[in-house]
Amino acid sequence: MKIIVLDGYALNSDLDWDLLKQVGDCTLYDRTGNDDEEIIKKIGSASIVLTHKTPIDAAVIEKASNLKYIGVMGTGYDVIDMSAANSKNIVVTNVPTYGTDAVAQYTFALLLEITSQVGIHNQLVHNNEWSHSSDFTFWAKPLIELKGKTLGLIGFGKIAQKVAEIAHSFSMNIIFYNHRPKDISQNWIKQVGFNELLEESDIISLHVIQTTETINLISKAEIHKMKTGAILINTARGKLINEADLADALNNGKILAAGLDVVSSEPIKNNNPLLQAKNCFITPHIAWAPKETRSRLLDISINNLKSFLAGTVKNQVI
């Protein structure tokens, strides 16, 4: 049985793939481009393919005639043409919960950087601004206390629920919107409509998958409904936000700051308007990347494949 890993670099620099190699004849590529011909050539006659971000579209699926299983090494599966896969009875799996704690942690890393401004003040101290100061303290940018602020969560899956728990420990007010209403037992969380969330939140954090319905979920019209001075956090998918509209809102002060671990095209393009926007904190899609989290991702990906081969599919995407 031939197994192809199309883009293992993000995982394989410090992780051991021996358990996967024990499952079958494994060819591990660090990277594969987005060109269909290259992808088809690398898949060849393989029946098993694992991918992280390399897209597998209808043309690839049509040509990869032996393909029986696609394992997405991540939660989002927008890189797979699901209609084409289903039409060929190809099983697609993902890893839905491997990064819950890490991404929730990183959501607050972005928020705390915005509200506490650790990075700039650390740099100022190392630039001798403090040693030359007349006072025992100084701050170059305003600091914001989170207690009593309203955090609005768009989407309320596992990651958002963990973010809510952390926010509760900061004595924040927590509201959420989910496209399907959720049953909640906590009396400190309030479920609201989408527009109500936009209007009431001091901080909005995005936790939904990318679909045709969620692309540009936050654009000019939605930003207009937000509080002036709101903070926007995105650790989900870059295309959820209209980046030109967000850049305008940051530059005109409608949005106080944005903390983004994702952008619409990755790696980020030099002409992305957010690179020149005020108070925009951008990191290179690393919320998922602690070694512990990546190790868990690899283990679950291998177990997904083993379950498929045993006839008991786990984490199948329908």
Side-chain angles (χ1 to χ4, degrees):
M1 178 184 55
K2 192 169 183 60
I3 303 169
I4 302 295
V5 179
L6 290 173
D7 50 357
Y9 174 77
L11 288 173
N12 70 11
S13 58
D14 55 358
L15 297 180
D16 188 347
W17 291 79
D18 284 349
L19 288 177
L20 179 62
K21 293 175 182 177
Q22 292 171 17
V23 177
D25 177 14
C26 181
T27 300
L28 178 64
Y29 294 104
D30 278 348
R31 300 173 181 86
T32 299
N34 293 344
D35 178 69
D36 280 355
E37 289 188 9
E38 179 186 358
I39 298 167
I40 291 165
K41 182 178 179 180
K42 286 184 176 179
I43 293 175
S45 62
S47 58
I48 306 293
V49 169
L50 301 184
T51 182
H52 195 179
K53 293 296 182 185
T54 301
I56 300 180
D57 61 20
V60 172
I61 289 170
E62 184 64 33
K63 291 288 187 180
S65 56
N66 288 336
L67 196 56
K68 299 292 186 291
Y69 175 90
I70 301 171
V72 179
M73 296 184 294
T75 301
Y77 50 88
D78 47 285
V79 294
I80 310 300
D81 188 319
M82 288 302 303
S83 295
N86 289 335
S87 72
K88 296 290 186 179
N89 296 315
I90 297 170
V91 172
V92 179
T93 65
N94 71 338
V95 187
T97 59
Y98 77 96
T100 298
D101 294 288
V103 178
Q105 172 185 316
Y106 203 84
T107 298
F108 263 83
L110 289 169
L111 179 56
L112 290 170
E113 175 58 32
I114 289 168
T115 56
S116 298
Q117 297 288 335
V118 172
I120 189 172
H121 288 99
N122 169 68
Q123 190 60 54
L124 290 172
V125 169
H126 284 87
N127 289 345
N128 294 318
E129 294 286 338
W130 196 16
S131 64
H132 294 155
S133 174
S134 302
D135 303 302
F136 79 95
T137 183
F138 76 95
W139 50 94
K141 288 194 172 184
L143 310 180
I144 300 168
E145 184 176 83
L146 290 177
K147 180 180 179 179
K149 299 294 188 298
T150 296
L151 171 65
L153 302 168
I154 298 180
F156 202 63
K158 296 293 186 183
I159 294 172
Q161 291 169 32
K162 180 61 70 171
V163 171
E165 291 177 13
I166 299 170
H168 183 56
S169 71
F170 277 90
S171 300
M172 300 180 73
N173 303 316
I174 301 132
I175 61 178
F176 78 90
Y177 164 77
N178 199 70
H179 72 293
R180 294 191 185 96
K182 292 265 190 176
D183 292 326
I184 53 172
S185 57
Q186 303 93 332
N187 60 11
W188 43 268
I189 299 177
K190 179 184 177 185
Q191 189 165 194
V192 299
F194 184 61
N195 286 335
E196 185 178 352
L197 183 141
L198 296 175
E199 293 165 359
E200 291 190 4
S201 299
D202 299 298
I203 300 137
I204 293 175
S205 187
L206 304 183
H207 299 282
V208 295
I209 63 173
Q210 178 182 307
T211 66
T212 54
E213 290 77 22
T214 60
I215 290 175
N216 286 330
L217 180 69
I218 301 298
S219 58
K220 186 175 182 178
E222 289 74 30
I223 291 169
H224 179 73
K225 295 174 184 176
M226 295 179 192
K227 289 183 177 180
T228 297
I231 294 169
L232 183 61
I233 306 291
N234 188 11
T235 54
R237 286 290 184 267
K239 289 184 179 179
L240 302 180
I241 297 174
N242 183 303
E243 292 172 335
D245 291 348
L246 175 57
D248 287 343
L250 287 165
N251 289 330
N252 66 34
K254 174 64 178 180
I255 300 293
L256 174 67
L260 313 171
D261 186 49
V262 288
V263 292
S264 60
S265 180
E266 297 171 349
I268 194 168
K269 296 187 182 303
N270 290 335
N271 63 353
N272 190 307
L274 293 172
L275 289 173
Q276 306 302 322
K278 297 177 182 177
N279 297 324
C280 192
F281 298 76
I282 308 173
T283 53
H285 204 144
I286 55 174
W288 70 285
K291 184 175 181 180
E292 300 88 343
T293 312
R294 289 182 289 111
S295 179
R296 188 180 307 118
L297 169 59
L298 181 57
D299 289 346
I300 297 172
S301 296
I302 294 170
N303 286 332
N304 282 349
L305 175 55
K306 287 181 175 179
S307 296
F308 165 75
L309 295 173
T312 55
V313 180
K314 293 181 180 178
N315 296 317
Q316 183 173 4
V317 179
I318 303 300

